[in-house]
Amino acid sequence: MQLGLSVSDSDVSSFTPLVVLELADDTKAEAITWLLNRIRDKQQNGGAELLVNQLLFPAQDDQKPNPNVFLVGSTLQRLLNGAEDVGLFKEFQDGTMRGFTYANRESFKDFNGDGEGVLSDAECQYIIKHELDTLRAKNEEHVPGYPKLKLYPGKSVVRRLQSKGVLIQYFPLHNKEDLKRLSFSWYKKFKLSFQPLDDIRHYFGEGLALYFGFLEYFTFALVPMALIGIPYYLFDWEDYDKYVLFAVFNLVWSTVFLEVWKRCSATLAYGWGTLSRKKAFEEPRAGFHGALGFNPVTGREEPVYPSSKRQLRIYLVSVPFVLLCLYLSFYVMMVYFDMEFWAINIYNENPDIATSILLFVPSIIYAVVIEIMNLLYRFAAEFLTDWENHRLESSFQNHLVLKVLVFNFVNCFASLFYIAFVMQDMVLLRQSLATLLITSQILNQVMEAFLPYWLQRRRNKKVHKRMRRLMGDKELPLLGQVQLETEMNTYLGTFDDYLEQFLLFGYVSLFSCVYPLAAVLVVLNNITEVYSDAFKMCHVFKRPFSEPATNIGVWQLAFETMSIIAVVTNCALIGLSPQMKAYFPESDTQLILIVVTIEHVLLAFKFILAFVIPDVPKHIQVNLAKLEFDSLEALKKRWKLKI
């Protein structure tokens, strides 16, 4: 079963290592022995029934290696049983996607021989993570060796150790051969083609594959707008009377774009077996705390935190803080306009090359300040959301996304709205949009691609040099790999990646009619984003655990909200155009009523379109209905046999 590197490479054991588990170097021996026994123990005794062995690094002159690094693996049968426990879906012999069961394992399409090809690398590691996370305390009152680290029946052992800093990290190992093949087909050859989404899903899981699928879809969807924008830019650049046509195209594009994506994501999710997969019961977050109580659903003891206290923290602290940050954002925006007027006055007094360049300086400075403010606010938002003490990870993520989106939207777009609808200066709007977009893209590429690449390259050189100095010419591939991966940065999920695409979607859908090259710039940015993100996932970050996903989650709602705002914005821009004003030279009220009517009609059209276009293609709906029917029939037969 080719799931990873053999531990025998380092003479540690003979099983295939899948996950690295690192405890603090000063962890008490009693705690280590207790944890390892719980991981190895049989399931019927409350253990995880996994294979685990210690990985010892040679002594080093400059620093003492951590002796508490362990490799975790599993037998094939345990993984197959675990696949049923976590509810994995696999392709059946008839081509439908069904929940995997060990009893019917030979009825699944990819099950051959002993079944070593039925589970992907990422799925095996996800199963091990699930087993570790659900390893629960039994009768222990505290962690052995730590009298103050209390335990109670039903508490997740791993989450408890993680929240108290005893467990530093646990992560899946890279598979060198699979990673090499994926890298070659993904980013090592520059080619204008689709990404290998199935291979990405096979290696990293559905959550990450859906992000890259969305990134690819968004990029291709922008191509028509970019192709229209280039001649529009070349021939109508100074003719702002004609931006109405581009605004109308914007309206249609932003509406159809998201509706078609729902069908694409449903098709991908069905093919990967996550569309009909039931959502797993969520366990409390590692950082969740409160007085000991009972969970009314599971009946287990766990921390309980009153919802009223959480609401007080949200409305009395978090909301005022967000409003204060929004006020600071508006204040910085007004400072930017003062700088802008100062640069314009200097240019008007002495128009030459130097002063014409000076016109762009305020926008560049403001774009840099926006990125810095977004970064600082992100740290504050994470701290506040953690302090609110949400029980579930999904609730934590939803509150964090809401905080970040509100601030980022205001911080990035408030100045553009002010220029467009208060100042009504389309020349300045075009200049500001171009400067903000270009500067933010350059900064993002530096921070997300070049800087991590440079830091990781330095880190790799240090590790390789240290291993060569210690071991000479002796080959220790596993030791070197684990040493390297333990020091890599941890991938924190797709949050920042989706946020970047959300802001780019805003720049394109809101104001690109006054700067048609916006779509072209975003296409170029996303092409480089695919390659830089692919490289980061393969060589900069630790391999993340697979996360089953049906769609892009709360980000779908965020993009749909932005598309609604885009309808209102583009209708307002149409109303401000000289063409529309020429039809109503003496009646602004009538013009406003017409624009509002058009806006309501377009919004109604948007919602009708969302209703008419099914989110799930017809053939997938039929297959899901067949599966449900077969399940009901099987249940009826089972009841008849019992009777």
Side-chain angles (χ1 to χ4, degrees), residues 304-351:
V304 175
Y305 190 77
S307 177
S308 56
K309 286 187 177 181
R310 185 179 299 112
Q311 297 302 319
L312 286 174
R313 290 187 174 192
I314 291 173
Y315 291 109
L316 296 183
V317 179
S318 296
V319 172
F321 176 79
V322 173
L323 293 176
L324 176 62
C325 291
L326 294 179
Y327 170 78
L328 291 175
S329 176
F330 281 116
Y331 181 80
V332 171
M333 181 185 74
M334 299 314 296
V335 172
Y336 155 66
F337 284 126
D338 288 339
M339 293 172 59
E340 196 73 61
F341 295 143
W342 168 76
I344 291 173
N345 289 333
I346 292 179
Y347 175 77
N348 291 335
E349 291 175 2
N350 185 22

Side-chain angles (χ1 to χ4, degrees), residues 86-150:
V86 300
L88 289 184
F89 270 61
K90 289 292 178 180
E91 188 175 359
F92 215 59
Q93 295 288 3
D94 60 2
T96 59
M97 302 299 294
R98 298 172 183 262
F100 181 83
T101 57
Y102 186 76
N104 296 327
R105 58 191 181 278
E106 294 182 0
S107 300
F108 288 87
K109 187 175 181 181
D110 294 327
F111 195 93
N112 299 312
D114 58 359
E116 63 181 42
V118 73
L119 297 177
S120 70
D121 212 23
E123 287 169 339
C124 294
Q125 291 165 332
Y126 173 74
I127 292 168
I128 288 183
K129 179 181 184 294
H130 171 78
E131 299 300 337
L132 290 175
D133 286 343
T134 54
L135 191 65
R136 305 192 179 283
K138 296 187 292 185
N139 300 319
E140 304 94 337
E141 295 183 357
H142 59 82
V143 175
Y146 296 89
K148 294 183 179 180
L149 213 168
K150 302 295 183 184

Side-chain angles (χ1 to χ4, degrees), residues 518-529:
V520 179
L521 292 175
V522 174
V523 168
L524 295 175
N525 175 82
N526 282 2
I527 291 173
T528 59
E529 189 80 13

